[in-house]
Amino acid sequence: MNARVSGHDPLPPEIVRSLRCSVCGDPVGLSDRTVRCGRGHSFDVAKQGYVNLLHARIPAGTADTAPMVAARVDLLSSGVYLPLAEALAKVASDHVENGMVIDAGAGTGYYLAHVLDAVPTAYGLALDVSAVALRRAARAHARAGAAVWNLWEPWPVADSSASLVLNVFAPRNASQFHRVLSADGLLVVATPNPGHLGELGDLVISVDGGKDARLEDTLGDRFTRADRHEVTRRVTLAPAQVRQIVEMGPSAHHLHRDGRRERLDAIDAPVDVTTSFSVTLYRPVP
């Protein structure tokens, strides 16, 4: 049975045991929909099921907005990026038997849900700075919990608590990846390849050829590459899907430039595009 449900309890106990207070770093418990540490620092669980552990404001333009999340939900539900989700699920099923999966920059939890479906004994934690996105992620899977957090800050997660860290088109904090992974854990990074959605021109942010070198520099001496898979195909997007694919990502912040909004809205016929991703596997260096 597919485990994506909307009525499960928020924050499975396995997730709560792995969380740490974002103020003092102590372990936390969950009582009456409040996450609380022994020193009395507390964080309410929202009615949608996520907990906001932040105690600082996020700069404007950092988090996904409600329109961006709505566009992403519509696009992902259409199956355009399903091959990538299936590739990530296959990697997880091949390498992870149980334990916690942390999706760093999880958005709506779409990829995390596929991974948890593929590993029936694992549970998942969705971390993202967008509370709007985590309203979806908190209900994406019965074995998932969600916490609002800025990935550039030290994560409110116990050391060596994750079997798998998933990072899909999201900020990469190598020191935190390494800290939260177990010694035999796995980091899986999904990135767009040069030419991804290239047919859309400046309606999307282009991917340059130096991304691989930057990825290796980011991970530095904390990780070694174990494997890599390419996920590339041609798809035909309906006009509404073209708008969704542009509006769900960082390109949405730049549609006011150079008449892009007008050109996007003027698309009235299907468009053939290339979707191309790399899925790269890394092992932590002791």
Side-chain angles (χ1 to χ4, degrees), residues 31 66 90 100 217 220 241 243 248 250 259 262:
S31 177
K90 178 65 163 58
M100 182 167 67
D217 288 344
Q241 290 176 312
R243 285 186 279 276
M248 74 181 195
E262 292 75 11

Side-chain angles (χ1 to χ4, degrees), residues 19-154:
L19 289 176
R20 293 294 179 265
C21 176
S22 59
V23 177
C24 66
D26 282 0
V28 298
L30 176 64
S31 177
D32 297 327
R33 298 186 67 87
T34 298
V35 172
R36 182 180 288 106
C37 74
R39 302 189 191 191
H41 303 124
S42 62
F43 309 86
D44 292 337
V45 178
K47 64 181 180 180
Q48 296 90 349
Y50 68 89
V51 60
N52 190 337
L53 297 176
L54 283 173
H55 37 83
R57 294 182 63 85
I58 292 296
T62 301
D64 288 350
T65 63
M68 292 170 69
V69 170
R72 182 171 301 166
V73 169
D74 289 343
L75 190 282
L76 293 177
S77 65
S78 73
V80 171
Y81 282 7
L82 180 59
L84 175 59
E86 292 175 337
L88 295 170
K90 178 65 163 58
V91 167
S93 66
D94 287 346
H95 295 276
V96 178
E97 294 183 0
N98 50 45
M100 182 167 67
V101 177
I102 298 178
D103 191 345
T108 61
Y110 174 78
Y111 300 104
L112 179 59
H114 279 83
V115 165
L116 293 178
D117 276 349
V119 188
T121 54
Y123 49 95
L125 172 62
L127 294 178
D128 201 283
V129 76
S130 172
V132 177
L134 290 189
R135 292 172 188 170
R136 302 273 185 169
R139 303 186 179 197
H141 202 280
R143 286 179 276 114
V148 180
W149 191 250
N150 180 356
L151 294 179
W152 293 119
E153 298 295 329

Side-chain angles (χ1 to χ4, degrees), residues 8 42 96 122 150 158 164 174 191 194 196 202 208 211 234 246 258 284:
H8 69 283
S42 62
V96 178
N150 180 356
L164 171 67
T191 54
H196 173 65
D202 67 354
D208 69 71
K211 71 173 186 65
R234 293 277 291 176
V246 173
D258 305 321

